Amino acid sequence: MGVTTADTSRKRPRVGILALQGDVREHARSIVASGGDPVSIRRPQELTDIDGLVLPGGESTTIDKLSRIFEIAEPIREKIANGLPVYGSCAGMILLSNEIADPATDQEGNPQQSFGGLDVTVRRNAFGRQVDSFETELDFAQLSTSEPVHAVFIRAPWLERVGHNVETLADVRINGSTHAVAVRTHHLLATSFHPEVTGELRVHELFIRMIRGEA
Ligand code: GLN
């Protein structure tokens, strides 16, 4: 028998992807390529048998609304509080934030809600109307290699406040001020941008390492 690496000797973690709206398929592809088994999550009972959860990019107001209709918002809050590793990209970052600086309101005037977990304040569509979408190279800490990440921002949020227990992994400097666009805690990871659409695997690999307790 040859040498067995950690990757082949351990079972692949089961990673749920909240599949109410957004770029679920792109995350599923990235999870497979990073060594996990993706599983679509729509109902509360599907949360019981997963090792981690991805909140995809999309429209946070829609995901918020559907998650309450499907009665999965509260179970997700409980899972986060109990330490389930969760990665949110873009809309997913908004959903992981404890505070939304400029919450959208529905037709009755009720502000959108988040699941929370990250002690941060997020601003939606922060980069402004002129730059709806842009791409840049980002220095990103804790990845497997130090090459910059080619980051695609699409009507992206940024973080206006980052709590003491939250670590900034990447930031952008715009018009003289710096804003966090990737953060983590022990078990939560969030990015303003979409590694799942560019074939950048190192962010998902970091998440898989977090699930395995290796990062
Ligand atoms: N602007 C969107 C929101 O508020 C996020 C955009 C995205 O996920 N690409 O949910």
Side-chain angles (χ1 to χ4, degrees):
M1 281 238 339
V3 177
T4 315
T5 65
D7 268 341
T8 53
S9 63
R10 277 199 224 186
K11 85 171 178 49
R12 298 166 68 91
R14 266 170 76 88
V15 181
I17 303 176
L18 187 62
L20 301 174
Q21 191 267 338
D23 62 351
V24 175
R25 221 181 312 162
E26 289 79 359
H27 273 290
R29 221 178 290 139
S30 299
I31 290 294
V32 170
S34 308
D37 278 340
V39 35
S40 291
I41 305 287
R42 289 190 191 82
R43 292 172 224 294
Q45 58 269 31
E46 293 165 341
L47 288 170
T48 52
D49 193 27
I50 53 174
D51 303 309
L53 178 67
V54 171
L55 307 176
E59 178 48 53
S60 60
T61 54
T62 306
I63 299 174
D64 162 38
K65 215 174 291 171
L66 291 175
S67 70
R68 286 188 272 152
I69 291 170
F70 281 67
E71 297 183 340
I72 197 171
E74 209 45 52
I76 289 175
R77 279 190 195 105
E78 276 164 34
K79 284 282 181 186
I80 291 172
N82 290 332
L84 180 73
V86 183
Y87 168 38
S89 70
C90 203
M93 172 190 258
I94 296 168
L95 290 162
L96 273 181
S97 299
N98 281 355
E99 193 181 5
I100 304 174
D102 54 346
T105 48
D106 64 16
Q107 282 161 342
E108 288 85 49
N110 303 310
Q112 72 176 115
Q113 296 174 21
S114 63
F115 304 133
L118 278 178
D119 178 22
V120 297
T121 304
V122 70
R123 181 168 295 277
R124 301 175 61 228
N125 306 321
F127 293 90
R129 256 177 258 147
Q130 285 90 338
V131 279
D132 251 6
S133 302
F134 74 99
E135 305 187 13
T136 190
E137 306 297 315
L138 280 184
D139 288 326
F140 195 124
Q142 300 185 12
L143 299 184
S144 55
T145 64
S146 59
E147 280 104 74
V149 169
H150 182 73
V152 175
F153 294 83
I154 306 166
R155 295 185 309 285
W158 67 37
L159 298 180
E160 300 211 331
R161 182 189 63 84
V162 175
H164 295 307
N165 298 329
V166 180
E167 198 176 348
T168 298
L169 302 180
D171 50 34
V172 292
R173 203 169 163 73
I174 288 196
N175 299 334
S177 40
T178 302
H179 301 279
V181 292
V183 294
R184 72 166 286 187
T185 61
H186 173 65
H187 69 290
L188 302 176
L189 175 67
T191 61
S192 300
F193 59 94
H194 296 271
E196 71 278 10
V197 303
T198 54
E200 168 61 69
L201 290 179
R202 289 172 297 166
V203 178
H204 288 78
E205 286 167 357
L206 170 62
F207 183 52
I208 298 284
R209 281 189 281 128
M210 286 169 62
I211 293 174
R212 291 184 185 279
E214 294 168 356

